[in-house]
Amino acid sequence: MTVIGAGLALSAYILISYCIGRLIVALAGLRVDALARAGSPLIGASAVAIQLWVYGVVHVPWHIALLVGPWLVAAVVWRRRFVAAVEADAAGVRQLLRGLGDLDPLTAGVLAVGVATAAFYFLNLLVQPLVGWDAIAMWLFKAKVFFDAGAVDLSLVPVNVSPPVERHLDYPPLFPLMLDSFWVLIGHVDGVIGKSIGFIFLIAAVASAAATLLPLLGKRLTALIAFLLVAMPTLQTSFVLPYYMGYADYAVAALMMISLAHLYRSARLGRDQASALSFAFAALAALTKNEGITFLIVVSIVIGAGLAWGFFKQREWPSRRLIVVAAASIIPVLAWQAYARVHGFNNDLVSQQHPQWTVELLASRAQTIATFLWHLIDRFNDYPWLVLAWIVSITLAVLSKDRRLAAVWAIVTIQAAFYCLALLLSPYAVSFLLTTAADRLILQLSPSLVLLLGLALSGAPSAGVSAQRRPGLAVAQP
Amino acid sequence: MRVLGVALLILWTLHTVVVTGRMLLDTNYKNLLSGAPRDVVRAPLSDLIQDATPDLVRSLPARGPVLVLVDSQELGGFAYFWLSYWLYPRQVDVSGDLSAAMTTRAGSIVYFQRPDSPDLTAPSGYRLQSDTTAAGGGHVIVLVLGSGGS
C-alpha cells in the first residue's frame, strides 16, 4: 500500500471510529461536552473491537459489511440525533478554528510546532517498518491469530515450543482487536500500517487534555500542555522509534489520562456521568494492558468512596443509565480475565518460578531499581520535568485544598508505586526488567503527569478561581 | 507556587521545542514520503532471514506445519517470533539442528543456509521447490513434500 493510501486508510479508521463513538454517546443519552467529544474516537474504536469479539463468540464472520452495517443502520434509524450530534461537533470545530485567529504569536507558534510534530508522527507511523519485538511477538501476532480464526481464540497458539518463548498470552485483547477491526476495514492483514493505530490514541489524549484544561487555564497555558502531550521526548518513542511502534504502552497511557480527566470533572463522585466515563476509560485501560487492572481498581475505589459518601450523606444513588455504562464497561474486562484463567494464561507474577525472597534480596533489588531510575534522569529526556511536575502538583493540591486534584495525584502515585512493586517482586532479573520496561512504564504515566500539572495550575489559589467556588468541589467537602 | 508551576511549564516547553525541533529539522522527509525507511530499519535478526521472509509468505503452502532450519545463533533470539508472525497461520518449528529435517513431518522445510553452513540433503519424500541466493552469499532453500509442492 502506498504512503498516501495508508494515510487515507488510517484517516478513514479514525473518522469511522469517531462517528461510531459519537453515535454511542448520543444514543446513550449522555451529556455531550468537549471532553466527551474528544474521547469519542476511542469509544468507537473500542466498541468495534469488542463487536468483533462478540461476533467471534456467536460465529458471525468478520466482514466489513457486517462490522459497519449495524452502525450504519443505527445512524439511519436515529439519523436526527446523529446528524444533530455531528453538526454540533462541526460547529464546535469551526468555533475552535475561528478562535485560532485570536492567538498571540507565541501560542500560535507553539501550536504550529505541535501540529507539525503530529503530522511527522502520522507519516512516520505509516512508513516505518514493523520491527518492534513486543509488537511482533505479542500484539500483532495475537491480532493475526484472532483475524485468522475470526474469533478471540488463542487455542491455536503453540505454547510448548523449543526453545521456550514467552508470548504473554494473558495480556488483554483490546489492542489486538482494534488492529483486527482496522484490518477488517482495509480487507487484509497489514502489519506496517496496522501499527499506526497508535495515532488515534494521540488525537484523543491531546483533545481530551485540551478540552479539560481550556476552560480552566485559558488558551496560552492549554496550548503549552497540548504541545507537551504531543512532542515531549518520552512520548516520542511510540511515534518515532520503529522498535517501539505497535506497542500498547501509549494506548494504556492515553486511556488512563482520559479516565483521570473525567474523574477530575466529576461534580458528584460516583453518581454522575463524569464518574461513569472515568470508570469506562479505566476499564478500557484494563482491557488494553494488565497495568490497567490496578488502575481500574484504584479508580473504582475512589469512585466507590464517592458513591458511598453520596448514599450515606445524601441518600443519592447513581442513575440506571450510569449503572448500565459501568456494567457495559466492566463485563469485557471480567470476560477476558475469566477466559485467561480458564485457559491457564496467567501473569508472570503467578506463573513463573520466583527466587527465594529474602530481605537482603529485596533490598538489593530495591537499590538496583532506585539507582537505575536515578541514572535515567538526564537533560535530554523528560524525566526530571516529570518528577518536578509531580512535586509541584501535590504542593499546589495541598495549598489549594483541592481534593479532586489530590485524588488524581494519589491515583497516579499509587499506579507508579505499583510499578515499582511489580519490578521489585517480579520473578525475572530486575536488571533485565529495568532495561526492557522501565522507560515504557514511565511512558504510561507521562500523559497523566502532564495533565496533573495542568490541573494543579488551574486549581492554585492565585489562579483567580477559588477551589471552593469551582463547581463540583462542594461534594468533596466534608 | 503557581508562578513556579507556570515557569516549570514554560521551561519544559522550551526544552521540548529544542529537542523535538532538532528531530523535525533533521528528518529526511523525501525518504519518508517515498517509504524508504522500510529498507533502512532492520529487525533484530539476520538479513538472510528477514529479507527472504516476504517471498516465503507468498511461496509456501498457506497452512500446515513448517520446519525452519536456522543457524544456532538465531535460536533464543527473535527468529522464532519473526517467522511465526510472518508465516502464520502455518505452524512454525524452528531448529538449529539439520538432522531435524530427517525426522520432521512438516509439509515444508525452509533452510536459511549461511555461506559457511553445511549443505542440507533433502529428506526422503521432499523435493526442492526453490534455492535462492541471498545478498550475503547465503542461500534460502525451500523443500516441500512431494504432494504439497507448488
Side-chain angles (χ1 to χ4, degrees), chain A residues 144 148 167 236 243 379, chain B residues 15 20 42 63 84-85:
Chain A
K144 214 169 179 181
D148 184 68
R167 284 210 193 270
Q236 286 175 10
Y243 297 105
R379 64 191 173 90
Chain B
H15 170 265
T20 303
R42 310 297 290 168
R63 291 183 180 268
S84 57
Y85 168 77

Side-chain angles (χ1 to χ4, degrees), chain A residues 105-166:
Chain A
L106 182 69
T107 309
V110 167
L111 276 182
V113 178
V115 170
T117 307
F120 168 69
Y121 291 168
F122 184 83
L123 187 60
N124 210 40
L125 282 168
L126 294 172
V127 302
Q128 294 288 359
L130 176 66
V131 292
W133 188 296
D134 283 12
I136 288 174
M138 297 168 210
W139 301 110
L140 275 87
F141 178 76
K142 261 189 179 178
K144 214 169 179 181
V145 172
F146 294 164
F147 192 86
D148 184 68
V152 175
D153 182 2
L154 293 172
S155 63
L156 295 173
V157 179
V159 286
N160 296 316
V161 297
S162 177
V165 295
E166 182 53 75

